[in-house]
Amino acid sequence: MTHSPSDAPTTWVEGAAGSLFDLDNLPYGVFSTAGTEPRVGVRIGDHVLDLAPVAEIGDPASALAAAWRTPSLNAFMAMGREQWDVARGWITEVLRDDVHRARTAPHLHALADVELHLPIEVGDYVDFYASEHHASNVGRIFRPDQEPLLPNWKHLPVGYHGRSGTVVASGTEIVRPCGQRKAPDEDAPTYGPSRRLDIEAELGFVVGTPSRLGERVATTDLAAHTFGVVGLNDWSARDLQAWEYVPLGPFLGKSFATSISHWVTPLAALDAAWTDLPGQDPEPLDYLRVREPAGLDIAVEVVLDGEVVARPPYAQMYWSPAQMLAHMTVNGATVRTGDLWASGTISGPAADERGSFLELSWGGREPFTAGGRERTFLEDGDEVVLRYTAPGTSGGRIALGEVAGRVVPAR
Ligand code: CA
């Protein structure tokens, strides 16, 4: 019998060891093969493991298997942290120990042979605004004569309720939205396709365990309630947004589509990614206090038509996910299984760390170069892919689910 030279677990799945989807990652998704119903799988390397039939080999009455036979992660997520940990330990063992190989391998499907679906039934959707650099940039662009940050910004994580029904899976075509636009130098609004269609590179957090109506979630309870994270693109029509957002906030400029990754990375896979926040001044109120490290060291890439145009660093986010969850429930509002909250656009201090074209082109006034030509907002046919990586618990890096979407002409 031979022993691996290090303690780092390795998998028998071909091509997976040392990849961005090794045993220290194991994101969940919903997949189907030709002629079969969508059900829950876990990604290892370039394969998806069909979880339910493997779980039933050992236990035909497995409650986990029953949850994994359904076409979303919600039933599994509702089982709670203890079962998530049991499942992750079991999956790791099955994919690590060669003794399981013969009976498990038939349930592995090459990614090329499966269709991936929206992984969760989205409950409520909240979008925050947690990057100081993004909020300051937008303030300077939209309100050049005022302080870039409004007085509340450093006291609470600003957010709004978005439209969960239009959260779509990566790969879904984005139809250019129509609506009312009025440039500052125009007398009256006109109706038509957005001329300033944009992206927002964000991270999404998926709620597993619900909270009770009337009870707040403490910042220390993030891991008890949060199942995992997804890549998220908050498509934004800046011209619709600029005309409609005062006084009640984002509406049709945002609600036409929000894309999320096919893969949900369990919070446990991010254990090595926690890092200290850049610093909060003034000190937040008691219910928003967190113990460091409360931030996440996740590297993001914004890819436009195959070219990386920005590298936003999630570690620069001012507000932590624990503070967003605590703030969202501090009035007694519940979170439920399948609820999704997003971080807000991830932007760092440098010009090439901005997570929106609004910022990259400074309101359209300073075009950036991509594909050998000057660009401002999205054109029909453009494809945007958001990619994310983080330190893994085995010393390498893991990839989070990427989010892709192509813009098609208005209808
Ligand atoms: Ca947003």
Side-chain angles (χ1 to χ4, degrees), residues 301-368:
E301 287 182 336
V302 178
V303 184
L304 171 60
D305 296 332
E307 183 174 330
V308 176
V309 295
R311 289 187 166 83
Y314 195 89
Q316 286 290 325
M317 298 297 267
Y318 187 92
W319 293 105
S320 68
Q323 290 171 318
M324 296 184 226
L325 179 58
H327 187 64
M328 185 161 53
T329 58
V330 72
N331 63 349
T334 48
V335 285
R336 298 176 298 173
T337 302
D339 281 5
L340 172 68
W341 86 88
S343 61
T345 309
I346 308 158
S347 288
D352 61 355
E353 293 178 336
R354 295 169 179 163
S356 70
F357 292 2
L358 175 77
E359 295 162 89
L360 288 168
S361 70
W362 209 254
R365 294 189 291 277
E366 298 171 18
F368 61 97

Side-chain angles (χ1 to χ4, degrees), residues 258-296:
T258 304
S259 300
I260 63 170
S261 57
H262 292 124
W263 300 109
V264 183
T265 306
L267 210 57
L270 293 171
D271 277 353
W274 293 102
T275 187
D276 286 356
L277 297 169
Q280 299 187 326
D281 182 20
E283 184 95 15
L285 293 175
D286 279 348
Y287 80 91
L288 287 173
R289 299 257 173 108
V290 283
R291 184 179 300 174
E292 295 284 16
L296 284 168

Side-chain angles (χ1 to χ4, degrees), residues 11-288:
T11 174
W12 50 262
V13 177
E14 248 173 69
S19 76
L20 292 168
F21 292 92
D22 202 345
L23 284 179
D24 56 349
N25 193 343
L26 300 177
Y28 295 97
V30 171
F31 79 101
S32 59
T33 52
T36 68
E37 292 298 310
R39 69 270 195 192
V40 174
V42 72
R43 179 165 176 179
I44 177 79
D46 288 331
H47 289 81
V48 186
L49 179 65
D50 191 352
L51 287 168
V54 182
E56 284 171 349
I57 294 170
D59 175 8
S62 162
L64 281 167
W68 287 334
R69 283 212 179 278
T70 65
S72 88
L73 288 173
N74 289 46
F76 174 45
M77 297 195 300
M79 295 172 86
R81 165 71 45 204
E82 201 176 315
Q83 287 304 302
W84 308 338
D85 291 344
V86 166
R88 188 170 170 81
W90 172 78
I91 294 166
T92 304
E93 182 60 21
V94 160
L95 293 173
R96 185 188 62 80
D97 196 328
D98 223 39
V99 76
H100 301 289
R101 183 173 187 159
R103 59 192 173 198
T104 305
H107 302 287
L108 277 177
H109 300 274
L111 272 181
D113 297 337
V114 307
E115 185 181 350
L116 296 168
H117 304 271
L118 188 68
I120 58 172
E121 261 178 78
V122 184
D124 289 316
Y125 167 48
V126 166
D127 193 15
F128 283 96
Y129 198 45
S131 161
E132 181 178 2
H133 301 289
H134 172 70
S136 300
N137 288 338
V138 171
R140 289 190 188 100
I141 293 166
F142 276 17
R143 300 180 301 274
D145 306 328
Q146 300 169 36
E147 280 293 308
L149 291 182
L150 293 169
N152 58 5
W153 199 91
K154 288 199 168 181
H155 294 277
L156 53 85
V158 168
Y160 69 95
H161 286 95
R163 193 166 190 87
S164 53
T166 49
V167 174
V168 298
S170 174
T172 304
E173 284 186 340
I174 303 302
V175 177
R176 181 178 295 273
C178 291
Q180 288 196 24
R181 311 99 16 131
K182 192 189 90 61
D185 59 350
E186 292 172 339
D187 293 334
T190 55
Y191 172 85
S194 170
R195 291 177 291 224
R196 290 162 74 90
L197 184 59
D198 196 359
I199 62 147
E200 293 194 336
E202 308 195 15
L203 197 62
F205 298 85
V206 179
V207 174
T209 309
S211 66
R212 290 209 193 98
L213 187 65
E215 293 180 14
R216 69 189 62 122
V217 176
T219 55
T220 47
D221 285 341
L222 176 80
H225 289 276
T226 309
F227 177 77
V229 304
V230 289
L232 187 144
N233 186 345
D234 173 24
W235 303 92
S236 300
R238 300 301 181 193
D239 40 1
L240 277 57
Q241 182 186 356
W243 170 232
E244 74 178 0
Y245 87 105
V246 178
L248 282 184
F251 189 42
L252 303 178
K254 299 279 193 176
S255 63
F256 55 94
T258 304
S259 300
I260 63 170
S261 57
H262 292 124
W263 300 109
V264 183
T265 306
L267 210 57
L270 293 171
D271 277 353
W274 293 102
T275 187
D276 286 356
L277 297 169
Q280 299 187 326
D281 182 20
E283 184 95 15
L285 293 175
D286 279 348
Y287 80 91
L288 287 173

